[in-house]
Amino acid sequence: MRPAALTSPRERGALRQLRPLYPLLWEQRGRLALGVVLLLVITALSVSAPLVVRAMLHEVNQPWSQLITWLFWVASGVLLYAGAMWGAPLVLRQMGDAVVVKLKEQVFAHLLRLSPAFYDQQQSGELLSRLSEDAFTLYRGLSTDVPTSAVGALTMVLGGVLAFWLNPTLTAWLLLGALLTFIFMGWLGRTLRRLTRQQQQMVAEQSAFAQERLATMKTVQAYAQEARVASTYAQLHQKFLAQRWRYNCTFGAMIAAAALLQYGAYVLVLGVGLWQMQQGQLLLPDLIAYFVYVAIIGSSFQQVAHLLPFLQTAAGATERLFEILETPLTITNPTRPRSLPSAKGGRAVGFKGVEFAYPSRPERLVTQGLNLTVPANARVALVGPSGAGKTTVFQLLMRAYDPQRGQITLDGVPVKQLRLDDLRAQFALVSQDPVIFATSVLENIRFGRTNATQAQVETAAKAAFAHDFISKLPKGYQTLVGERGVMLSGGERQRVAIARAILCDPKVLLLDEATSSLDSHAEAMVQKALDRLMVGRTTLVIAHRLSTVQDADLIVVLDGGRVVAQGTHKQLLKSCALYRVLAARQLRD
Ligand code: ADP
Ligand code: MG
């Protein structure tokens, strides 16, 4: 399954595909240039070797002292070659590391800025696979595969020129053979590229599946679904193996074509060369030199053919990384941001004619012509059946999503005209399913205000009635709470989240069924904490129990994304049938 939020795969030329890499490569131009120089030294030395051999064979009758001098130069060349072979991978790997690390940073930073709409349609394991596997593939490509292939290709060209100079007729024949093979390999290459891209996607799907199931392991085990999950994982691999088989067949054909060309060339050279020698057109040293050229070209050709799929994998990996970078940010800062008026207490919130559908379900309006006016410092409750759009109201207010129509304001300023940082700093959200990070309680509480002191954190925790249970944890505030806070109970997680909100001291407090996972004793305590927290700021409460909002300044009844009624508890009991139903259901509880 391809994620709809990422750009669809395009058939681009390999060079165009790599274009986004150029700025990163430019930053590494020093290492890159040094690497290229070393590769050129390697190529030049290996290509000139047969000429040296030929020259020495021609000089076989010279005095030994002369030959010794020659050998000395040859040995120096060998040392230089070894030095270049040591240095080239070194600088190229450093370059590859630097480029890939930078790219990963960019991709990660971009991921952090992509809106929830992107993540609604994206599996984190799939993204993770791009950041890890694809990034590594790209590294290998940059540091090893591309340089090696470049040396191979250059060796082939230079060797070909020298071979042509040594023996034009024979070389012309070999070129014809090479041309035909290239055409065939080009055709195979396109197939390989498609298969490669599919394979990478499959690997990403496997990771996504494994990651998601590992993260939900308790549920898998609770429902005794281990065997089924294992078999789904195995099926994903079966699909992969079938695909792999096609890939291997194509790859094998490519290698076979290269081998056929290489060894066919040897036969041709031997045949034609021996014939030319018999005709007196060719001397043995020339035939030997020529043969060595063909051997060098042939082995370079083999090398390039072997690397071609890796190059394509690297191109595919690059593309997959850049797809993330090229995913446009939908929620962005305004070009000319406005600032909010300074306010002592809370801020006024307004919704006017807001119409919104989630991007993943554009045909279904979740809010329709929503109007809502919340005065500064007021305490407003949103009630309504599940799915009415209450949580969506919060999402829109914080610009997790932008509505298709209408306007949302904060103290009269449209939220779209505020910097995102400024806007979001106005709120603290406590939701029914609080997010707890796999770190210490302390860090969890000060997540929104990282510079808070231990004392400030403790004050917030006390206000949230969390201090007592935190103190009883093995390491108090330093206790690590496990992934998603698994070591805490629902109510404890909730109180940590409330302490986090208290510490942020927001202008607008958003409570989304914040006490729903607490037992009635804890709820009463937390409710007290929340009551204290609500003073001097605007509060929007989504309540799962009407009892907690009966004394709100205003109760807004939502249904189907519309405000169907608003007023105080008493007024609504008289005027709103839906509210009476909700209230009656609660009273029965
Ligand atoms: P409430 O909080 O009142 O129970 P929500 O605001 O969470 O309701 O949801 C309103 C509607 O929007 C529901 O029908 C829900 O299925 C849908 N919805 C909520 N979140 C998303 C999302 N991320 N993508 C698509 N649809 C969503
Ligand atoms: Mg909700």
Side-chain angles (χ1 to χ4, degrees):
M1 178 197 63
R2 271 203 55 74
L6 289 172
T7 50
S8 53
R10 288 144 296 178
E11 277 299 309
R12 302 189 201 166
L15 282 180
R16 274 203 60 194
Q17 209 169 61
L18 296 179
R19 197 147 66 184
L21 267 183
Y22 295 168
L24 291 171
L25 289 172
W26 179 245
E27 278 177 24
Q28 293 297 316
R29 55 192 177 277
R31 283 174 181 151
L32 190 60
L34 182 58
V36 168
V37 167
L38 291 171
L39 291 179
L40 286 177
V41 169
I42 291 170
T43 316
L45 286 173
S46 61
V47 168
S48 57
L51 284 185
V52 176
V53 172
R54 171 174 171 266
M56 286 183 73
L57 288 175
H58 273 300
E59 306 295 321
V60 68
N61 295 324
Q62 294 287 319
W64 185 237
S65 61
Q66 179 67 38
L67 292 181
I68 285 285
T69 324
W70 278 83
L71 276 177
F72 170 76
W73 285 115
V74 171
S76 313
V78 169
L79 279 181
L80 183 59
Y81 184 80
M85 287 293 269
W86 173 73
L90 220 62
V91 284
L92 289 171
R93 273 160 203 244
Q94 267 193 310
M95 179 212 61
D97 272 331
V99 166
V100 170
V101 165
K102 191 78 183 274
L103 180 58
K104 279 173 81 168
E105 283 170 12
Q106 286 181 1
V107 170
F108 193 66
H110 194 75
L111 282 172
L112 288 176
R113 295 171 66 205
L114 283 168
S115 66
F118 174 79
Y119 292 96
D120 285 348
Q121 300 170 58
Q122 201 63 46
Q123 288 190 292
S124 53
E126 207 267 353
L127 295 170
L128 213 58
S129 147
R130 294 185 189 225
L131 267 182
S132 53
E133 269 144 279
D134 288 333
F136 179 73
T137 306
L138 175 60
Y139 160 75
R140 204 190 49 198
L142 282 177
S143 60
T144 316
D145 301 340
V146 170
T148 314
S149 319
V151 168
L154 191 60
T155 306
M156 277 156 57
V157 171
L158 290 179
V161 169
L162 291 171
F164 190 80
W165 171 67
L166 282 173
N167 196 331
T169 330
L170 196 47
T171 310
W173 280 109
L174 290 180
L175 274 179
L176 185 67
L179 202 65
L180 292 177
T181 320
F182 280 150
I183 292 171
F184 179 57
M185 287 175 66
W187 176 67
L188 289 178
R190 270 194 297 281
T191 314
L192 269 187
R193 183 158 154 210
R194 188 170 43 85
L195 294 174
T196 299
R197 168 125 199 159
Q198 287 170 2
Q199 261 176 33
Q200 281 163 305
Q201 193 60 43
M202 284 175 165
V203 170
E205 270 172 44
Q206 289 162 10
S207 315
F209 181 79
Q211 194 257 356
E212 208 248 343
R213 288 308 132 96
L214 289 177
T216 54
M217 193 43 80
K218 280 187 179 168
T219 311
V220 171
Q221 289 173 349
Y223 282 85
Q225 291 300 309
E226 297 93 325
R228 197 174 57 82
V229 169
S231 107
T232 309
Y233 190 60
Q235 271 167 22
L236 284 176
H237 281 86
Q238 286 307 320
K239 219 171 86 183
F240 178 74
L241 287 181
Q243 217 267 0
R244 202 69 194 151
W245 167 247
R246 276 190 289 157
Y247 174 87
N248 287 339
C249 288
T250 316
F251 182 50
M254 188 113 140
I255 298 305
L260 190 66
L261 178 63
Q262 185 184 2
Y263 293 100
Y266 294 166
V267 175
L268 192 72
V269 170
L270 275 182
V272 177
L274 289 177
W275 184 80
Q276 283 182 339
M277 267 180 71
Q278 281 189 353
Q279 302 299 307
Q281 293 170 359
L282 196 64
L283 295 172
L284 185 61
D286 295 330
L287 179 62
I288 291 177
Y290 190 81
F291 196 85
V292 175
Y293 271 120
V294 174
I296 288 177
I297 295 170
S299 67
S300 303
F301 186 57
Q302 277 288 348
Q303 199 173 33
V304 175
H306 269 97
L307 285 177
L308 222 54
F310 290 111
L311 294 182
Q312 280 169 339
T313 317
T318 315
E319 194 178 17
R320 287 161 48 79
L321 281 165
F322 279 111
E323 268 177 9
I324 297 178
L325 275 184
E326 285 165 5
T327 304
L329 300 174
T330 47
I331 307 288
T332 50
N333 281 318
T335 37
R336 271 192 299 279
R338 285 175 60 179
S339 48
L340 283 164
S342 62
K344 267 239 164 91
R347 294 195 183 279
V349 172
F351 280 68
K352 217 171 118 195
V354 171
E355 203 168 292
F356 173 70
Y358 280 97
S360 53
R361 286 170 78 188
E363 74 291 344
R364 185 171 171 275
L365 285 179
V366 177
T367 70
Q368 332 186 22
L370 183 81
N371 293 308
L372 193 63
T373 310
V374 180
N377 301 321
R379 199 169 140 195
V380 173
L382 301 180
V383 300
S386 166
K390 305 179 296 292
T391 300
T392 306
V393 167
F394 285 7
Q395 299 276 316
L396 291 172
L397 187 55
M398 298 177 80
R399 279 196 82 197
Y401 303 85
D402 279 337
Q404 280 81 10
R405 240 180 244 130
Q407 202 171 51
I408 301 168
T409 55
L410 210 56
D411 275 352
V413 182
V415 289
K416 282 184 104 166
Q417 294 180 13
L418 294 168
R419 281 180 45 80
L420 287 169
D421 290 355
D422 280 350
L423 171 69
R424 290 172 183 164
Q426 306 303 312
F427 304 106
L429 169 71
V430 183
S431 65
Q432 83 203 92
D433 183 22
V435 172
I436 303 293
F437 300 96
T439 168
S440 65
V441 177
L442 181 80
E443 292 307 325
N444 263 299
I445 293 179
R446 63 179 185 193
F447 183 74
R449 228 183 99 190
T450 40
N451 57 1
T453 61
Q454 171 92 23
Q456 288 169 324
V457 169
E458 278 183 31
T459 311
K462 278 176 189 152
F465 293 95
H467 179 74
D468 284 349
F469 90 79
I470 295 171
S471 307
K472 285 183 198 134
L473 290 172
K475 288 187 181 163
Y477 282 82
Q478 298 300 335
T479 312
L480 300 176
V481 292
E483 212 174 1
R484 281 165 288 115
V486 284
M487 279 149 64
L488 302 177
S489 75
E492 289 167 346
R493 280 202 291 273
Q494 202 69 295
R495 278 177 279 170
V496 168
I498 291 169
R500 184 190 288 160
I502 291 175
L503 192 60
C504 281
D505 190 25
K507 298 267 182 243
V508 181
L509 183 63
L510 303 174
L511 304 174
D512 190 349
E513 309 193 0
T515 54
S516 60
S517 57
L518 304 182
D519 57 51
S520 47
H521 173 67
E523 180 175 19
M525 281 203 305
V526 170
Q527 199 55 52
K528 249 193 283 171
L530 290 175
D531 288 343
R532 202 184 292 162
L533 181 58
M534 290 177 202
V535 176
R537 59 188 108 232
T538 310
T539 310
L540 279 159
V541 196
I542 296 172
H544 72 297
R545 255 193 282 280
L546 292 188
S547 59
T548 58
V549 293
Q550 275 174 15
D551 50 350
D553 300 325
L554 181 71
I555 299 175
V556 178
V557 185
L558 280 179
D559 194 18
R562 285 176 203 277
V563 175
V564 293
Q566 47 184 314
T568 60
H569 178 65
K570 273 188 189 148
Q571 289 167 343
L572 287 171
L573 278 179
K574 278 194 210 118
S575 65
C576 179
L578 176 59
Y579 190 79
R580 270 197 301 276
V581 171
L582 292 170
R585 209 180 285 158
Q586 305 258 312
L587 289 180
R588 233 186 299 138
D589 289 348

